Amino acid sequence: SEEKRRRQHLYGTFDNGLVDAAPVRAHVEMLQASGLGWKRIAELAGVGYTAISQLIYGRKGSNTDPRKGEILKRVSREKAEKILALQPSIEFLREGALAPALGTHRRIQALVCNGWSLNAIGTRLGTGASNMTTLLRRDQVRKTTHQSVEALFDELWNVKAPTATWHEKASATRAIRYAKARRWLPPLAWDDPDTDREPPTVEDDDLVDEMVVELALEGERLRLTPAERRECVSRLHRRRWSDGLIAETIGCNPRTVERIRDELGLIAFDQTELRARGAA
């Protein structure tokens, strides 16, 4: 009744069926980061396309509607519960879709820690060692590639590479050294290679491994100590690189590079300006 609703409003207990949209929007963005498109999210969650599109892009409407593009602050509880119940999974991606490469990289690296060379892994996956190196530099991989690497990891995660012959033993030894030089982590370091947070590098934050720094400067994505990251920023800054280019090379956020540069008292370089000057 109207009196009951009035009392609920008065005592702050009235429930209009709406909830805060911010955590729901954040969940959709997380699902998008896993490789799902917004329309696919709507289909899997069992809500309309409009529910997801307005959550991300704001209200629809005519060009004369002053509320067009307005970001939703509240969404219905029913839709929110359906969206929040949807968790990321490679299985949900459409065939041929791209997925984040992080889990693929970690699985390959873990197998190398067990003595499996990139060449041996590439052979089992039906590709070559050179393609494996390229794969480890990509930010995204095909769904089929992810699934192939995941299946191989499930088969070999607790199997050491063979060492019966001299050639096999040499290959396994080189692979283990290769992984150690890059601070790659073994299979048991991960509960879920796709979603686990990266563990700390080493206890000694001041450690600078020259080989690790050189590999990072060549564009390999490695787990750097704070001191190694500062060293990389310093060296690339001497080449007059911009914050964005440095960040892209050593695999961190440009804001992190900016903070390190400020800490070291280094000026910023504008890469657009530098390119224009070089072309002149």
PDB file of all heavy atoms in Angstrom, residues 138-174:
ATOM      1  N   ARG A 138      53.212 -12.171 -28.064  1.00  0.00           N
ATOM      2  CA  ARG A 138      51.869 -11.695 -28.367  1.00  0.00           C
ATOM      3  C   ARG A 138      51.066 -11.439 -27.099  1.00  0.00           C
ATOM      4  O   ARG A 138      51.200 -12.165 -26.114  1.00  0.00           O
ATOM      5  CB  ARG A 138      51.125 -12.728 -29.229  1.00  0.00           C
ATOM      6  CG  ARG A 138      51.660 -12.844 -30.644  1.00  0.00           C
ATOM      7  CD  ARG A 138      50.894 -13.903 -31.414  1.00  0.00           C
ATOM      8  NE  ARG A 138      51.419 -14.082 -32.758  1.00  0.00           N
ATOM      9  CZ  ARG A 138      51.268 -15.186 -33.469  1.00  0.00           C
ATOM     10  NH1 ARG A 138      50.602 -16.215 -32.962  1.00  0.00           N
ATOM     11  NH2 ARG A 138      51.768 -15.278 -34.688  1.00  0.00           N
ATOM     12  N   ASP A 139      50.213 -10.426 -27.166  1.00  0.00           N
ATOM     13  CA  ASP A 139      49.324 -10.119 -26.045  1.00  0.00           C
ATOM     14  C   ASP A 139      48.048 -10.953 -26.101  1.00  0.00           C
ATOM     15  O   ASP A 139      47.386 -11.142 -25.083  1.00  0.00           O
ATOM     16  CB  ASP A 139      48.950  -8.629 -26.042  1.00  0.00           C
ATOM     17  CG  ASP A 139      50.143  -7.740 -25.735  1.00  0.00           C
ATOM     18  OD1 ASP A 139      51.013  -8.176 -24.962  1.00  0.00           O
ATOM     19  OD2 ASP A 139      50.206  -6.627 -26.276  1.00  0.00           O
ATOM     20  N   GLN A 140      47.702 -11.437 -27.312  1.00  0.00           N
ATOM     21  CA  GLN A 140      46.499 -12.241 -27.482  1.00  0.00           C
ATOM     22  C   GLN A 140      46.805 -13.460 -28.347  1.00  0.00           C
ATOM     23  O   GLN A 140      47.721 -13.425 -29.178  1.00  0.00           O
ATOM     24  CB  GLN A 140      45.385 -11.422 -28.155  1.00  0.00           C
ATOM     25  CG  GLN A 140      44.844 -10.283 -27.303  1.00  0.00           C
ATOM     26  CD  GLN A 140      43.748  -9.523 -28.020  1.00  0.00           C
ATOM     27  OE1 GLN A 140      43.935  -9.031 -29.127  1.00  0.00           O
ATOM     28  NE2 GLN A 140      42.578  -9.437 -27.401  1.00  0.00           N
ATOM     29  N   VAL A 141      46.044 -14.528 -28.138  1.00  0.00           N
ATOM     30  CA  VAL A 141      46.195 -15.740 -28.946  1.00  0.00           C
ATOM     31  C   VAL A 141      44.813 -16.224 -29.356  1.00  0.00           C
ATOM     32  O   VAL A 141      43.806 -15.881 -28.737  1.00  0.00           O
ATOM     33  CB  VAL A 141      46.925 -16.859 -28.176  1.00  0.00           C
ATOM     34  CG1 VAL A 141      48.349 -16.459 -27.854  1.00  0.00           C
ATOM     35  CG2 VAL A 141      46.161 -17.223 -26.900  1.00  0.00           C
ATOM     36  N   ARG A 142      44.760 -17.042 -30.395  1.00  0.00           N
ATOM     37  CA  ARG A 142      43.503 -17.630 -30.810  1.00  0.00           C
ATOM     38  C   ARG A 142      43.007 -18.607 -29.747  1.00  0.00           C
ATOM     39  O   ARG A 142      43.801 -19.210 -29.022  1.00  0.00           O
ATOM     40  CB  ARG A 142      43.673 -18.381 -32.137  1.00  0.00           C
ATOM     41  CG  ARG A 142      44.025 -17.497 -33.325  1.00  0.00           C
ATOM     42  CD  ARG A 142      42.838 -16.719 -33.792  1.00  0.00           C
ATOM     43  NE  ARG A 142      43.170 -15.840 -34.919  1.00  0.00           N
ATOM     44  CZ  ARG A 142      42.374 -14.905 -35.372  1.00  0.00           C
ATOM     45  NH1 ARG A 142      41.196 -14.701 -34.803  1.00  0.00           N
ATOM     46  NH2 ARG A 142      42.730 -14.130 -36.388  1.00  0.00           N
ATOM     47  N   LYS A 143      41.701 -18.747 -29.671  1.00  0.00           N
ATOM     48  CA  LYS A 143      41.106 -19.695 -28.731  1.00  0.00           C
ATOM     49  C   LYS A 143      41.688 -21.087 -28.925  1.00  0.00           C
ATOM     50  O   LYS A 143      42.010 -21.779 -27.949  1.00  0.00           O
ATOM     51  CB  LYS A 143      39.586 -19.722 -28.922  1.00  0.00           C
ATOM     52  CG  LYS A 143      38.868 -20.759 -28.073  1.00  0.00           C
ATOM     53  CD  LYS A 143      37.373 -20.769 -28.352  1.00  0.00           C
ATOM     54  CE  LYS A 143      36.660 -21.862 -27.545  1.00  0.00           C
ATOM     55  NZ  LYS A 143      35.201 -21.865 -27.788  1.00  0.00           N
ATOM     56  N   THR A 144      41.858 -21.506 -30.189  1.00  0.00           N
ATOM     57  CA  THR A 144      42.391 -22.841 -30.471  1.00  0.00           C
ATOM     58  C   THR A 144      43.829 -22.991 -29.967  1.00  0.00           C
ATOM     59  O   THR A 144      44.204 -24.057 -29.484  1.00  0.00           O
ATOM     60  CB  THR A 144      42.343 -23.120 -31.986  1.00  0.00           C
ATOM     61  OG1 THR A 144      42.939 -22.014 -32.693  1.00  0.00           O
ATOM     62  CG2 THR A 144      40.915 -23.294 -32.466  1.00  0.00           C
ATOM     63  N   THR A 145      44.620 -21.923 -30.086  1.00  0.00           N
ATOM     64  CA  THR A 145      45.999 -21.962 -29.594  1.00  0.00           C
ATOM     65  C   THR A 145      46.013 -22.114 -28.080  1.00  0.00           C
ATOM     66  O   THR A 145      46.767 -22.927 -27.529  1.00  0.00           O
ATOM     67  CB  THR A 145      46.754 -20.678 -29.999  1.00  0.00           C
ATOM     68  OG1 THR A 145      46.752 -20.550 -31.422  1.00  0.00           O
ATOM     69  CG2 THR A 145      48.187 -20.702 -29.492  1.00  0.00           C
ATOM     70  N   HIS A 146      45.182 -21.335 -27.403  1.00  0.00           N
ATOM     71  CA  HIS A 146      45.075 -21.431 -25.949  1.00  0.00           C
ATOM     72  C   HIS A 146      44.722 -22.851 -25.540  1.00  0.00           C
ATOM     73  O   HIS A 146      45.331 -23.424 -24.615  1.00  0.00           O
ATOM     74  CB  HIS A 146      44.015 -20.457 -25.442  1.00  0.00           C
ATOM     75  CG  HIS A 146      43.788 -20.530 -23.959  1.00  0.00           C
ATOM     76  ND1 HIS A 146      44.301 -19.594 -23.076  1.00  0.00           N
ATOM     77  CD2 HIS A 146      43.115 -21.439 -23.190  1.00  0.00           C
ATOM     78  CE1 HIS A 146      43.945 -19.927 -21.845  1.00  0.00           C
ATOM     79  NE2 HIS A 146      43.217 -21.037 -21.900  1.00  0.00           N
ATOM     80  N   GLN A 147      43.751 -23.437 -26.211  1.00  0.00           N
ATOM     81  CA  GLN A 147      43.293 -24.778 -25.852  1.00  0.00           C
ATOM     82  C   GLN A 147      44.359 -25.837 -26.117  1.00  0.00           C
ATOM     83  O   GLN A 147      44.514 -26.774 -25.339  1.00  0.00           O
ATOM     84  CB  GLN A 147      42.010 -25.104 -26.616  1.00  0.00           C
ATOM     85  CG  GLN A 147      40.807 -24.290 -26.155  1.00  0.00           C
ATOM     86  CD  GLN A 147      39.575 -24.517 -27.014  1.00  0.00           C
ATOM     87  OE1 GLN A 147      39.670 -24.618 -28.235  1.00  0.00           O
ATOM     88  NE2 GLN A 147      38.414 -24.589 -26.384  1.00  0.00           N
ATOM     89  N   SER A 148      45.114 -25.665 -27.205  1.00  0.00           N
ATOM     90  CA  SER A 148      46.180 -26.621 -27.525  1.00  0.00           C
ATOM     91  C   SER A 148      47.285 -26.581 -26.478  1.00  0.00           C
ATOM     92  O   SER A 148      47.773 -27.627 -26.024  1.00  0.00           O
ATOM     93  CB  SER A 148      46.770 -26.316 -28.916  1.00  0.00           C
ATOM     94  OG  SER A 148      45.805 -26.478 -29.923  1.00  0.00           O
ATOM     95  N   VAL A 149      47.673 -25.358 -26.083  1.00  0.00           N
ATOM     96  CA  VAL A 149      48.722 -25.209 -25.070  1.00  0.00           C
ATOM     97  C   VAL A 149      48.223 -25.724 -23.716  1.00  0.00           C
ATOM     98  O   VAL A 149      48.960 -26.390 -22.971  1.00  0.00           O
ATOM     99  CB  VAL A 149      49.162 -23.738 -24.964  1.00  0.00           C
ATOM    100  CG1 VAL A 149      50.105 -23.536 -23.771  1.00  0.00           C
ATOM    101  CG2 VAL A 149      49.838 -23.294 -26.252  1.00  0.00           C
ATOM    102  N   GLU A 150      46.969 -25.442 -23.391  1.00  0.00           N
ATOM    103  CA  GLU A 150      46.396 -25.908 -22.131  1.00  0.00           C
ATOM    104  C   GLU A 150      46.376 -27.434 -22.070  1.00  0.00           C
ATOM    105  O   GLU A 150      46.717 -28.031 -21.042  1.00  0.00           O
ATOM    106  CB  GLU A 150      44.979 -25.360 -21.978  1.00  0.00           C
ATOM    107  CG  GLU A 150      44.338 -25.676 -20.631  1.00  0.00           C
ATOM    108  CD  GLU A 150      42.980 -25.026 -20.479  1.00  0.00           C
ATOM    109  OE1 GLU A 150      42.286 -24.829 -21.508  1.00  0.00           O
ATOM    110  OE2 GLU A 150      42.603 -24.708 -19.342  1.00  0.00           O
ATOM    111  N   ALA A 151      46.012 -28.077 -23.177  1.00  0.00           N
ATOM    112  CA  ALA A 151      45.970 -29.540 -23.223  1.00  0.00           C
ATOM    113  C   ALA A 151      47.376 -30.124 -23.067  1.00  0.00           C
ATOM    114  O   ALA A 151      47.567 -31.114 -22.347  1.00  0.00           O
ATOM    115  CB  ALA A 151      45.354 -29.998 -24.539  1.00  0.00           C
ATOM    116  N   LEU A 152      48.376 -29.501 -23.725  1.00  0.00           N
ATOM    117  CA  LEU A 152      49.749 -29.983 -23.604  1.00  0.00           C
ATOM    118  C   LEU A 152      50.270 -29.791 -22.185  1.00  0.00           C
ATOM    119  O   LEU A 152      50.958 -30.662 -21.637  1.00  0.00           O
ATOM    120  CB  LEU A 152      50.649 -29.239 -24.601  1.00  0.00           C
ATOM    121  CG  LEU A 152      52.105 -29.706 -24.658  1.00  0.00           C
ATOM    122  CD1 LEU A 152      52.186 -31.160 -25.108  1.00  0.00           C
ATOM    123  CD2 LEU A 152      52.915 -28.812 -25.600  1.00  0.00           C
ATOM    124  N   PHE A 153      49.922 -28.653 -21.579  1.00  0.00           N
ATOM    125  CA  PHE A 153      50.329 -28.386 -20.197  1.00  0.00           C
ATOM    126  C   PHE A 153      49.726 -29.426 -19.251  1.00  0.00           C
ATOM    127  O   PHE A 153      50.418 -29.948 -18.361  1.00  0.00           O
ATOM    128  CB  PHE A 153      49.880 -26.977 -19.791  1.00  0.00           C
ATOM    129  CG  PHE A 153      50.212 -26.611 -18.369  1.00  0.00           C
ATOM    130  CD1 PHE A 153      51.486 -26.187 -18.016  1.00  0.00           C
ATOM    131  CD2 PHE A 153      49.248 -26.692 -17.365  1.00  0.00           C
ATOM    132  CE1 PHE A 153      51.794 -25.844 -16.712  1.00  0.00           C
ATOM    133  CE2 PHE A 153      49.544 -26.350 -16.064  1.00  0.00           C
ATOM    134  CZ  PHE A 153      50.821 -25.927 -15.725  1.00  0.00           C
ATOM    135  N   ASP A 154      48.454 -29.742 -19.439  1.00  0.00           N
ATOM    136  CA  ASP A 154      47.796 -30.739 -18.591  1.00  0.00           C
ATOM    137  C   ASP A 154      48.459 -32.111 -18.733  1.00  0.00           C
ATOM    138  O   ASP A 154      48.484 -32.903 -17.785  1.00  0.00           O
ATOM    139  CB  ASP A 154      46.311 -30.853 -18.944  1.00  0.00           C
ATOM    140  CG  ASP A 154      45.524 -29.617 -18.526  1.00  0.00           C
ATOM    141  OD1 ASP A 154      46.038 -28.840 -17.698  1.00  0.00           O
ATOM    142  OD2 ASP A 154      44.403 -29.421 -19.034  1.00  0.00           O
ATOM    143  N   GLU A 155      49.014 -32.373 -19.904  1.00  0.00           N
ATOM    144  CA  GLU A 155      49.677 -33.657 -20.155  1.00  0.00           C
ATOM    145  C   GLU A 155      51.078 -33.711 -19.559  1.00  0.00           C
ATOM    146  O   GLU A 155      51.511 -34.745 -19.047  1.00  0.00           O
ATOM    147  CB  GLU A 155      49.753 -33.889 -21.674  1.00  0.00           C
ATOM    148  CG  GLU A 155      50.494 -35.148 -22.077  1.00  0.00           C
ATOM    149  CD  GLU A 155      50.742 -35.231 -23.577  1.00  0.00           C
ATOM    150  OE1 GLU A 155      50.115 -34.451 -24.330  1.00  0.00           O
ATOM    151  OE2 GLU A 155      51.576 -36.064 -23.994  1.00  0.00           O
ATOM    152  N   LEU A 156      51.801 -32.582 -19.600  1.00  0.00           N
ATOM    153  CA  LEU A 156      53.228 -32.597 -19.261  1.00  0.00           C
ATOM    154  C   LEU A 156      53.624 -31.828 -18.005  1.00  0.00           C
ATOM    155  O   LEU A 156      54.806 -31.795 -17.662  1.00  0.00           O
ATOM    156  CB  LEU A 156      54.030 -32.017 -20.445  1.00  0.00           C
ATOM    157  CG  LEU A 156      53.952 -32.757 -21.783  1.00  0.00           C
ATOM    158  CD1 LEU A 156      54.802 -32.030 -22.821  1.00  0.00           C
ATOM    159  CD2 LEU A 156      54.421 -34.201 -21.629  1.00  0.00           C
ATOM    160  N   TRP A 157      52.664 -31.214 -17.300  1.00  0.00           N
ATOM    161  CA  TRP A 157      53.050 -30.326 -16.204  1.00  0.00           C
ATOM    162  C   TRP A 157      53.894 -31.024 -15.132  1.00  0.00           C
ATOM    163  O   TRP A 157      54.746 -30.411 -14.494  1.00  0.00           O
ATOM    164  CB  TRP A 157      51.821 -29.682 -15.564  1.00  0.00           C
ATOM    165  CG  TRP A 157      50.985 -30.642 -14.747  1.00  0.00           C
ATOM    166  CD1 TRP A 157      49.948 -31.396 -15.175  1.00  0.00           C
ATOM    167  CD2 TRP A 157      51.146 -30.923 -13.351  1.00  0.00           C
ATOM    168  NE1 TRP A 157      49.434 -32.151 -14.161  1.00  0.00           N
ATOM    169  CE2 TRP A 157      50.152 -31.875 -13.012  1.00  0.00           C
ATOM    170  CE3 TRP A 157      52.008 -30.476 -12.348  1.00  0.00           C
ATOM    171  CZ2 TRP A 157      50.017 -32.382 -11.715  1.00  0.00           C
ATOM    172  CZ3 TRP A 157      51.873 -30.976 -11.064  1.00  0.00           C
ATOM    173  CH2 TRP A 157      50.889 -31.919 -10.756  1.00  0.00           C
ATOM    174  N   ASN A 158      53.673 -32.351 -14.931  1.00  0.00           N
ATOM    175  CA  ASN A 158      54.436 -33.087 -13.915  1.00  0.00           C
ATOM    176  C   ASN A 158      55.370 -34.108 -14.552  1.00  0.00           C
ATOM    177  O   ASN A 158      55.767 -35.086 -13.917  1.00  0.00           O
ATOM    178  CB  ASN A 158      53.482 -33.781 -12.940  1.00  0.00           C
ATOM    179  CG  ASN A 158      52.576 -34.787 -13.633  1.00  0.00           C
ATOM    180  OD1 ASN A 158      52.467 -34.791 -14.855  1.00  0.00           O
ATOM    181  ND2 ASN A 158      51.931 -35.637 -12.859  1.00  0.00           N
ATOM    182  N   VAL A 159      55.727 -33.865 -15.828  1.00  0.00           N
ATOM    183  CA  VAL A 159      56.616 -34.774 -16.552  1.00  0.00           C
ATOM    184  C   VAL A 159      57.894 -34.023 -16.934  1.00  0.00           C
ATOM    185  O   VAL A 159      57.837 -33.011 -17.639  1.00  0.00           O
ATOM    186  CB  VAL A 159      55.942 -35.305 -17.842  1.00  0.00           C
ATOM    187  CG1 VAL A 159      56.905 -36.230 -18.596  1.00  0.00           C
ATOM    188  CG2 VAL A 159      54.641 -36.010 -17.515  1.00  0.00           C
ATOM    189  N   LYS A 160      59.022 -34.495 -16.457  1.00  0.00           N
ATOM    190  CA  LYS A 160      60.298 -33.890 -16.826  1.00  0.00           C
ATOM    191  C   LYS A 160      60.671 -34.309 -18.241  1.00  0.00           C
ATOM    192  O   LYS A 160      60.337 -35.412 -18.687  1.00  0.00           O
ATOM    193  CB  LYS A 160      61.403 -34.337 -15.853  1.00  0.00           C
ATOM    194  CG  LYS A 160      61.184 -33.905 -14.411  1.00  0.00           C
ATOM    195  CD  LYS A 160      61.250 -32.391 -14.258  1.00  0.00           C
ATOM    196  CE  LYS A 160      61.100 -31.977 -12.800  1.00  0.00           C
ATOM    197  NZ  LYS A 160      61.113 -30.503 -12.640  1.00  0.00           N
ATOM    198  N   ALA A 161      61.359 -33.427 -18.932  1.00  0.00           N
ATOM    199  CA  ALA A 161      61.801 -33.745 -20.290  1.00  0.00           C
ATOM    200  C   ALA A 161      62.752 -34.931 -20.255  1.00  0.00           C
ATOM    201  O   ALA A 161      63.511 -35.098 -19.294  1.00  0.00           O
ATOM    202  CB  ALA A 161      62.487 -32.537 -20.910  1.00  0.00           C
ATOM    203  N   PRO A 162      62.745 -35.790 -21.272  1.00  0.00           N
ATOM    204  CA  PRO A 162      63.619 -36.972 -21.277  1.00  0.00           C
ATOM    205  C   PRO A 162      65.092 -36.602 -21.305  1.00  0.00           C
ATOM    206  O   PRO A 162      65.479 -35.601 -21.913  1.00  0.00           O
ATOM    207  CB  PRO A 162      63.204 -37.702 -22.563  1.00  0.00           C
ATOM    208  CG  PRO A 162      62.594 -36.650 -23.424  1.00  0.00           C
ATOM    209  CD  PRO A 162      61.914 -35.700 -22.486  1.00  0.00           C
ATOM    210  N   THR A 163      65.905 -37.413 -20.633  1.00  0.00           N
ATOM    211  CA  THR A 163      67.359 -37.168 -20.580  1.00  0.00           C
ATOM    212  C   THR A 163      68.141 -38.461 -20.802  1.00  0.00           C
ATOM    213  O   THR A 163      69.258 -38.607 -20.314  1.00  0.00           O
ATOM    214  CB  THR A 163      67.752 -36.555 -19.216  1.00  0.00           C
ATOM    215  OG1 THR A 163      67.279 -37.422 -18.171  1.00  0.00           O
ATOM    216  CG2 THR A 163      67.151 -35.174 -19.035  1.00  0.00           C
ATOM    217  N   ALA A 164      67.542 -39.409 -21.522  1.00  0.00           N
ATOM    218  CA  ALA A 164      68.180 -40.721 -21.704  1.00  0.00           C
ATOM    219  C   ALA A 164      69.427 -40.629 -22.576  1.00  0.00           C
ATOM    220  O   ALA A 164      70.446 -41.277 -22.295  1.00  0.00           O
ATOM    221  CB  ALA A 164      67.183 -41.707 -22.320  1.00  0.00           C
ATOM    222  N   THR A 165      69.391 -39.806 -23.608  1.00  0.00           N
ATOM    223  CA  THR A 165      70.544 -39.671 -24.496  1.00  0.00           C
ATOM    224  C   THR A 165      71.299 -38.382 -24.190  1.00  0.00           C
ATOM    225  O   THR A 165      70.785 -37.481 -23.519  1.00  0.00           O
ATOM    226  CB  THR A 165      70.095 -39.648 -25.974  1.00  0.00           C
ATOM    227  OG1 THR A 165      69.343 -38.440 -26.220  1.00  0.00           O
ATOM    228  CG2 THR A 165      69.201 -40.856 -26.279  1.00  0.00           C
ATOM    229  N   TRP A 166      72.505 -38.283 -24.731  1.00  0.00           N
ATOM    230  CA  TRP A 166      73.306 -37.070 -24.519  1.00  0.00           C
ATOM    231  C   TRP A 166      72.587 -35.861 -25.100  1.00  0.00           C
ATOM    232  O   TRP A 166      72.547 -34.794 -24.489  1.00  0.00           O
ATOM    233  CB  TRP A 166      74.667 -37.232 -25.203  1.00  0.00           C
ATOM    234  CG  TRP A 166      75.514 -35.990 -25.072  1.00  0.00           C
ATOM    235  CD1 TRP A 166      76.365 -35.667 -24.056  1.00  0.00           C
ATOM    236  CD2 TRP A 166      75.547 -34.887 -25.997  1.00  0.00           C
ATOM    237  NE1 TRP A 166      76.933 -34.432 -24.270  1.00  0.00           N
ATOM    238  CE2 TRP A 166      76.450 -33.929 -25.450  1.00  0.00           C
ATOM    239  CE3 TRP A 166      74.914 -34.614 -27.201  1.00  0.00           C
ATOM    240  CZ2 TRP A 166      76.731 -32.730 -26.100  1.00  0.00           C
ATOM    241  CZ3 TRP A 166      75.181 -33.407 -27.844  1.00  0.00           C
ATOM    242  CH2 TRP A 166      76.095 -32.484 -27.299  1.00  0.00           C
ATOM    243  N   HIS A 167      72.004 -36.023 -26.282  1.00  0.00           N
ATOM    244  CA  HIS A 167      71.308 -34.910 -26.941  1.00  0.00           C
ATOM    245  C   HIS A 167      70.107 -34.456 -26.103  1.00  0.00           C
ATOM    246  O   HIS A 167      69.885 -33.251 -25.926  1.00  0.00           O
ATOM    247  CB  HIS A 167      70.836 -35.336 -28.337  1.00  0.00           C
ATOM    248  CG  HIS A 167      70.082 -34.272 -29.072  1.00  0.00           C
ATOM    249  ND1 HIS A 167      70.692 -33.184 -29.639  1.00  0.00           N
ATOM    250  CD2 HIS A 167      68.743 -34.108 -29.286  1.00  0.00           C
ATOM    251  CE1 HIS A 167      69.780 -32.399 -30.190  1.00  0.00           C
ATOM    252  NE2 HIS A 167      68.590 -32.939 -29.993  1.00  0.00           N
ATOM    253  N   GLU A 168      69.337 -35.419 -25.579  1.00  0.00           N
ATOM    254  CA  GLU A 168      68.168 -35.079 -24.767  1.00  0.00           C
ATOM    255  C   GLU A 168      68.578 -34.353 -23.491  1.00  0.00           C
ATOM    256  O   GLU A 168      67.953 -33.370 -23.087  1.00  0.00           O
ATOM    257  CB  GLU A 168      67.384 -36.341 -24.425  1.00  0.00           C
ATOM    258  CG  GLU A 168      66.641 -36.947 -25.597  1.00  0.00           C
ATOM    259  CD  GLU A 168      65.972 -38.262 -25.242  1.00  0.00           C
ATOM    260  OE1 GLU A 168      66.378 -38.886 -24.230  1.00  0.00           O
ATOM    261  OE2 GLU A 168      65.062 -38.686 -25.977  1.00  0.00           O
ATOM    262  N   LYS A 169      69.652 -34.853 -22.855  1.00  0.00           N
ATOM    263  CA  LYS A 169      70.122 -34.238 -21.608  1.00  0.00           C
ATOM    264  C   LYS A 169      70.617 -32.820 -21.852  1.00  0.00           C
ATOM    265  O   LYS A 169      70.325 -31.896 -21.078  1.00  0.00           O
ATOM    266  CB  LYS A 169      71.248 -35.085 -21.011  1.00  0.00           C
ATOM    267  CG  LYS A 169      71.676 -34.624 -19.631  1.00  0.00           C
ATOM    268  CD  LYS A 169      72.663 -35.588 -19.005  1.00  0.00           C
ATOM    269  CE  LYS A 169      73.032 -35.154 -17.589  1.00  0.00           C
ATOM    270  NZ  LYS A 169      73.976 -36.115 -16.950  1.00  0.00           N
ATOM    271  N   ALA A 170      71.347 -32.610 -22.964  1.00  0.00           N
ATOM    272  CA  ALA A 170      71.841 -31.271 -23.290  1.00  0.00           C
ATOM    273  C   ALA A 170      70.687 -30.317 -23.571  1.00  0.00           C
ATOM    274  O   ALA A 170      70.693 -29.157 -23.140  1.00  0.00           O
ATOM    275  CB  ALA A 170      72.770 -31.352 -24.499  1.00  0.00           C
ATOM    276  N   SER A 171      69.687 -30.807 -24.286  1.00  0.00           N
ATOM    277  CA  SER A 171      68.517 -29.981 -24.612  1.00  0.00           C
ATOM    278  C   SER A 171      67.771 -29.588 -23.340  1.00  0.00           C
ATOM    279  O   SER A 171      67.372 -28.423 -23.187  1.00  0.00           O
ATOM    280  CB  SER A 171      67.587 -30.748 -25.547  1.00  0.00           C
ATOM    281  OG  SER A 171      66.408 -30.012 -25.790  1.00  0.00           O
ATOM    282  N   ALA A 172      67.571 -30.541 -22.436  1.00  0.00           N
ATOM    283  CA  ALA A 172      66.858 -30.262 -21.188  1.00  0.00           C
ATOM    284  C   ALA A 172      67.632 -29.267 -20.330  1.00  0.00           C
ATOM    285  O   ALA A 172      67.054 -28.344 -19.739  1.00  0.00           O
ATOM    286  CB  ALA A 172      66.625 -31.558 -20.421  1.00  0.00           C
ATOM    287  N   THR A 173      68.945 -29.434 -20.275  1.00  0.00           N
ATOM    288  CA  THR A 173      69.789 -28.532 -19.475  1.00  0.00           C
ATOM    289  C   THR A 173      69.721 -27.107 -20.026  1.00  0.00           C
ATOM    290  O   THR A 173      69.594 -26.142 -19.268  1.00  0.00           O
ATOM    291  CB  THR A 173      71.250 -29.015 -19.479  1.00  0.00           C
ATOM    292  OG1 THR A 173      71.309 -30.331 -18.912  1.00  0.00           O
ATOM    293  CG2 THR A 173      72.129 -28.076 -18.657  1.00  0.00           C
ATOM    294  N   ARG A 174      69.792 -26.977 -21.368  1.00  0.00           N
ATOM    295  CA  ARG A 174      69.708 -25.651 -21.979  1.00  0.00           C
ATOM    296  C   ARG A 174      68.348 -25.009 -21.707  1.00  0.00           C
ATOM    297  O   ARG A 174      68.255 -23.809 -21.441  1.00  0.00           O
ATOM    298  CB  ARG A 174      69.943 -25.763 -23.496  1.00  0.00           C
ATOM    299  CG  ARG A 174      71.377 -25.915 -23.905  1.00  0.00           C
ATOM    300  CD  ARG A 174      71.566 -25.621 -25.397  1.00  0.00           C
ATOM    301  NE  ARG A 174      70.746 -26.505 -26.229  1.00  0.00           N
ATOM    302  CZ  ARG A 174      71.155 -27.688 -26.686  1.00  0.00           C
ATOM    303  NH1 ARG A 174      72.372 -28.133 -26.379  1.00  0.00           N
ATOM    304  NH2 ARG A 174      70.359 -28.418 -27.447  1.00  0.00           N
TER     305      ARG A 174
END
